Amino acid sequence: MKEFDTIAAIATALGEGSISVIRVSGADAVTVVDRIFQGKHALSTVDSHTMNYGNIIDPQTGERVDEVFCAVFRAPRTYSGEDVVEIQGHGGIVAVQRVMRLVLNHGARLAEPGEFTKRAFLNGRIDLSQAEAVIDVIRSKTDAAMKVAFRQVEGGLSVKIKELRQKMVEMLAHIEVTIDYPEHDVEDVTIQHVIREGDTIVEAIDALLGGATTGKILREGLKTVIVGKPNVGKSSLLNALSRTNRAIVTDIEGTTRDILEEHINLRGIPLNIIDTAGIRETEDVVEKIGVERSREALEAADLALLMVDASRPLSDTDRELAELVKVRPTIVILNKLDLPRRADLDELRQIAGEFKIVETSVTTGAGMEQLERAVEDLFLSGGIEGQESTYLSNARHVALLEKARREMSEALESARIGMTLDLVSVDVRNCWMSLGEVVGEAVADDLLDQIFSQFCLGK
């Protein structure tokens, strides 16, 4: 365990609640809290991993500040890898802040954002990829995103990275032996070994990178834009999917003049769903701005929901929008089935091309389950990205794995064209180091500060 000073922070959200938690970590954590805790036994004498009832007392005045439980955890079996005390008191802003001031006045300092997790990494309890996954657990919007993040906290990515690095260590050992003992004349055998193992490493890296898009969507949400001409039911669809009355719905065309965004959980998929102004030619200055914003939102979308009015013949605007959405995954929604149909379904199939068509009536709810299933199928069956056992959701990890792949590919190219083994080993070693940065084997202090600054206080 590395030597650090003692830190403290409020670990629960500020506001009214049943309890609040102050976390104290460091070599003097127990001593600091003991100075303000009054219970049956001094905390310095109790066993690790125990809850201890008592009161927080202001030593200067003798005033009882709060009635608390103090949980004592002794190193190394703690979150940070060092002694930890968690003070569990009454919820509310005043009580917890008074206790916090006493903790800081008696030997602890206020923790920086993410410092508890940073210490867990520096003390070797978790590696860097696991530490980064903690913030993904906290920010998860769906069960699926939570499971993916928690798999990384448990070391799912770390295990794969360490296996690849071990293979490279063995490759480098073969190369070094061949270079040091040329009299054995095994260079051809070593080159074949490098090529064989290098190919498997590239394949493994490709498999990890294959889940990057899905991982990003699970982490950040699938940016989904509802597009269509005015009064086709876009705002009604937003309300139906979000189970709210988020958007104003009227029979008047052009009611929505700006973009509306809502975050929803659709069958485990986080959707950042955007209702746009109906796209059409207009002289209204405000509506024209809304139409332009609709086009910009569509350009940035991961998924488009193109709505068509079943009660009206297909128009030039419908055909134009079908062309606009063709560069991204799209589901075509034929809405208003509760009204007499006037849209030509065969023509709609022709302009939709390979995109799935779902027939709905947002007003009655007909077809909504099929729409949700269509989004799920597109997401999980490979239309956006196939389901993988390990997802890369962190941009830093993706960049490092892409760099490692290039370096291993360069090593393989050098081996195949007959370059000397010492030159081949340079690229293999670079690849090994790049993968090491994923799990924090070699990483600069300023990068660590940047990573952990994204965390909340108390974590």
Side-chain angles (χ1 to χ4, degrees):
M1 186 183 76
K2 294 182 179 292
E3 291 297 326
F4 298 111
D5 56 354
T6 298
I7 58 174
I10 299 170
T12 45
L14 285 176
E16 293 184 1
S18 56
I19 64 169
S20 59
V21 177
I22 294 173
R23 177 178 284 171
V24 187
S25 180
D28 296 327
V30 176
T31 302
V32 168
V33 180
D34 241 346
R35 291 170 182 154
I36 60 173
F37 176 76
Q38 188 177 82
K40 186 175 181 180
H41 302 287
L43 297 181
S44 58
T45 65
V46 303
D47 294 334
S48 180
H49 293 73
T50 58
M51 295 287 288
N52 303 275
Y53 170 75
N55 296 291
I56 296 297
I57 304 296
D58 186 338
Q60 290 186 334
T61 64
E63 177 190 1
R64 187 175 80 154
V65 176
D66 199 6
E67 183 181 27
V68 301
F69 278 100
C70 284
V72 176
F73 308 95
R74 300 190 189 278
R77 294 192 304 118
T78 70
Y79 181 78
S80 62
E82 53 196 15
D83 286 353
V84 173
V85 178
E86 291 188 353
I87 305 170
Q88 302 180 12
H90 290 96
I93 297 174
V94 175
V96 69
Q97 288 187 338
R98 289 189 67 190
V99 176
M100 185 65 190
R101 279 197 297 270
L102 287 174
V103 171
L104 297 178
N105 289 338
H106 287 83
R109 70 163 171 84
L110 183 64
E112 298 172 358
E115 191 168 1
F116 294 93
T117 305
K118 183 177 182 180
R119 290 190 176 196
F121 163 67
L122 294 173
N123 286 323
R125 198 185 72 78
I126 56 177
D127 66 35
L128 190 55
S129 67
Q130 291 173 288
E132 289 172 292
V134 171
I135 195 69
D136 293 337
V137 170
I138 295 170
R139 293 175 177 171
S140 296
K141 297 180 180 69
T142 68
D143 289 344
M146 173 74 176
K147 288 175 183 177
V148 168
F150 200 72
R151 221 168 14 239
Q152 288 203 20
V153 170
E154 293 179 318
L157 177 61
S158 305
V159 169
K160 294 180 183 293
I161 294 296
K162 288 171 182 176
E163 286 174 354
L164 293 177
R165 295 189 85 221
Q166 182 57 38
K167 282 188 177 183
M168 279 178 264
V169 168
E170 294 169 3
M171 288 171 65
L172 289 169
H174 275 277
I175 291 172
E176 293 301 323
V177 169
T178 302
I179 292 172
D180 291 344
Y181 301 98
E183 64 272 15
H184 293 295
D185 195 23
V186 292
E187 184 170 347
D188 289 343
V189 175
T190 299
I191 288 174
Q192 292 306 312
H193 173 78
V194 167
I195 292 173
R196 185 171 59 254
E197 290 299 306
D199 282 337
T200 63
I201 289 169
V202 169
E203 289 174 6
I205 293 174
D206 283 341
L208 289 172
L209 289 171
T213 300
T214 300
K216 179 178 180 290
I217 290 169
L218 285 172
R219 187 182 198 227
E220 301 175 9
L222 185 69
K223 185 172 285 188
T224 305
V225 174
I226 308 172
V227 293
K229 61 189 180 186
N231 209 29
V232 294
K234 298 185 298 300
S235 296
S236 297
L237 178 62
L238 174 68
N239 290 343
L241 290 174
S242 64
R243 275 79 172 174
T244 66
N245 288 319
R246 178 76 170 83
I248 297 172
V249 177
T250 73
D251 293 332
I252 303 170
E253 289 191 357
T255 302
T256 302
R257 296 191 169 204
D258 202 350
I259 59 174
L260 296 175
E261 187 168 355
E262 189 73 17
H263 301 280
I264 69 170
N265 177 356
L266 191 151
R267 300 188 177 213
I269 304 168
L271 293 189
N272 303 329
I273 193 162
I274 300 170
D275 175 24
T276 62
I279 296 178
R280 64 174 177 177
E281 294 298 325
T282 177
E283 297 302 320
D284 187 295
V285 175
V286 176
E287 188 178 357
K288 187 176 292 186
I289 294 171
V291 170
E292 184 59 33
R293 289 184 178 179
S294 298
R295 292 180 183 275
E296 291 172 0
L298 182 59
E299 286 296 318
D302 300 309
L303 172 66
L305 301 179
L306 172 59
M307 295 195 76
V308 177
D309 188 344
S311 67
R312 291 189 285 178
L314 296 177
S315 65
D316 290 340
T317 302
D318 293 321
R319 298 181 186 92
E320 178 192 348
L321 288 172
E323 287 298 318
L324 281 175
V325 300
K326 280 189 175 178
V327 295
R328 64 191 47 77
T330 299
I331 295 172
V332 178
I333 302 169
L334 184 61
N335 190 37
K336 301 190 180 182
L337 290 183
D338 52 308
L339 300 177
R341 179 180 294 185
R342 298 183 61 195
D344 187 329
L345 188 56
D346 289 334
E347 184 183 0
L348 181 61
R349 289 194 184 103
Q350 185 177 354
I351 65 174
E354 298 179 356
F355 297 145
K356 185 176 182 64
I357 299 174
V358 179
E359 300 184 28
T360 68
S361 169
V362 176
T363 301
T364 66
M368 292 303 296
E369 185 175 343
Q370 289 84 346
L371 174 59
E372 292 184 5
R373 192 180 302 119
V375 175
E376 181 184 34
D377 290 344
L378 184 61
F379 180 73
L380 294 178
S381 66
I384 292 173
E385 189 61 48
Q387 191 172 18
E388 301 288 340
S389 58
T390 300
Y391 295 96
L392 290 179
S393 59
N394 186 299
R396 189 182 74 88
H397 299 168
V398 173
L400 286 169
L401 279 161
E402 288 175 342
K403 180 171 178 281
R405 191 197 186 285
R406 288 194 300 271
E407 289 160 344
M408 183 53 70
S409 297
E410 289 168 4
L412 289 170
E413 180 65 21
S414 297
R416 286 188 170 106
I417 64 175
M419 300 286 282
T420 59
L421 282 173
D422 56 342
L423 293 177
V424 173
S425 70
V426 171
D427 289 323
V428 174
R429 187 170 284 105
N430 288 340
C431 181
W432 179 81
M433 291 176 67
S434 294
L435 291 182
E437 287 186 52
V438 175
V439 293
E441 292 290 336
V443 62
D445 289 342
D446 56 347
L447 178 58
L448 288 180
D449 292 339
Q450 179 183 343
I451 290 170
F452 290 105
S453 66
Q454 301 174 52
F455 285 62
C456 51
L457 286 173
K459 198 64 180 179

